[in-house]
Amino acid sequence: MEDLFQLADKSYRSRLIVGTGKYKDFEQTRKAIEISGAEIVTVAVRRVNITDPSKENLLDYLDPKKYTILPNTAGCYSAEEAVRTCRLVREAGVGRLVKLEVIGDDKTLFPDIPATIEAAKILVKEGFFVLPYVNDDPITAKKLQDIGCAAVMPLAAPIGSGLGIRNPYNLRIILEQATVPIIVDAGVGTASDAAIAMEMGCDGVLMNTAIAGAKDPLLMAEAMRLGVEAGRKAFLAGRIAKKLYATASSPLEGILG
């Protein structure tokens, strides 16, 4: 069954998006990404080199023809910083697809929503395909999709916390009103978290620490691939309704005696 993930102007087979931070080295990063099956790879351009060919460069390990590089503005604390970072990566020829992060403070790493909206308006107007990282607020998600963002990325839990989806009810509302892909970003801890997000109907899941921070990142990369695939298939298949009382698995008609 063909089930492609449409994002901006391109289709993908994988619905898992992975980050590139916190690995032992670029070689481990490459192996984990390959095992994960991800086709979109996000890079914090203020922390990982992808623009200076004179220094060790992540793109020496990842073939840009095979992967879509999704630069992100991690480490930006204002709309101006985020917009400037996106313009720099576009000038470096990385592309127009960007993950917008404007962080509110160092302790929670929650997004600064007014600054995120301000930056998104500018970037959309300049022709970027914007994927904003936001909290799990349905109103914010709707505002960003109405601005023209290519997708919205609500957090499951604080970045790097591994707490899983803390507010499935808000996420359900976001999904009900969505007209663009909804990609859960941040807070996923293990494969079952990713599967739950996909079973709910999310279009994709983005993660970094859950793989890079695992005791065995390569094995976890495989687990996450399988978790996303299983959750997506379960969503498409449609789960049975929950009931208070038992229902016999076998037909009761024709029982002897």
Side-chain angles (χ1 to χ4, degrees):
M1 179 181 67
E2 191 83 323
D3 176 36
L4 298 178
F5 171 37
Q6 182 70 37
L7 180 62
D9 58 352
K10 195 171 176 182
S11 297
Y12 302 89
R13 296 186 184 284
S14 174
R15 293 172 180 270
L16 174 59
I17 304 172
V18 295
T20 51
K22 299 184 178 180
Y23 287 96
K24 180 178 65 177
D25 51 35
F26 282 160
E27 181 58 23
Q28 187 184 59
T29 308
R30 183 192 68 75
K31 289 180 179 175
I33 291 170
E34 185 172 335
I35 292 170
S36 76
E39 297 168 287
I40 306 173
V41 178
T42 187
V43 181
V45 293
R46 302 186 70 169
R47 297 169 181 158
V48 179
N49 178 34
I50 59 170
T51 56
D52 186 351
S54 67
K55 301 176 182 175
E56 187 178 33
N57 191 317
L58 178 63
L59 298 186
D60 293 335
Y61 295 81
L62 299 179
D63 182 358
K65 294 178 181 175
K66 181 177 179 181
Y67 298 104
T68 293
I69 304 300
L70 173 61
N72 72 62
T73 61
C76 292
Y77 288 81
S78 70
E80 293 76 15
E81 279 184 297
V83 169
R84 187 164 59 249
T85 301
C86 291
R87 288 170 177 164
L88 286 173
V89 296
R90 182 168 64 180
E91 289 171 8
V94 179
R96 294 189 294 153
L97 188 70
V98 293
K99 179 189 170 191
L100 174 62
E101 279 190 40
V102 184
I103 299 301
D105 68 64
D106 281 330
K107 184 175 182 179
T108 65
L109 297 180
F110 283 141
D112 181 326
I113 296 303
T116 299
I117 291 174
E118 180 185 347
K121 287 179 179 176
I122 296 170
L123 292 170
V124 168
K125 191 174 293 185
E126 293 186 6
F128 286 93
F129 296 118
V130 182
L131 282 58
Y133 158 68
V134 294
N135 52 27
D136 56 9
D137 172 31
I139 304 302
T140 299
K142 189 170 188 312
K143 284 184 179 180
L144 287 163
Q145 75 177 15
D146 290 346
I147 286 170
C149 291
V152 177
M153 308 179 78
L155 56 80
I159 292 174
S161 67
L163 290 172
I165 299 173
R166 307 314 299 161
N167 196 339
Y169 303 104
N170 273 24
L171 188 55
R172 185 180 298 172
I173 297 171
I174 291 172
L175 288 165
E176 284 180 358
Q177 66 185 15
T179 57
V180 298
I182 301 298
I183 302 168
V184 163
D185 178 15
V188 168
T190 188
S192 58
D193 297 333
I196 289 170
M198 298 306 297
E199 285 177 7
M200 292 183 66
C202 293
D203 297 275
V205 179
L206 189 153
M207 65 185 71
N208 182 61
T209 305
I211 297 176
K215 289 181 181 177
D216 186 335
L218 304 188
L219 189 58
M220 185 60 84
E222 182 180 12
M224 290 299 187
R225 173 174 62 78
L226 295 172
V228 168
E229 290 176 359
R232 178 64 180 175
K233 288 179 187 295
F235 169 72
L236 293 175
R239 64 158 295 141
I240 62 168
K242 295 181 180 179
K243 299 176 182 175
L244 182 59
Y245 295 103
T247 303
S249 299
S250 303
L252 298 176
E253 293 81 5
I255 294 178
L256 294 177

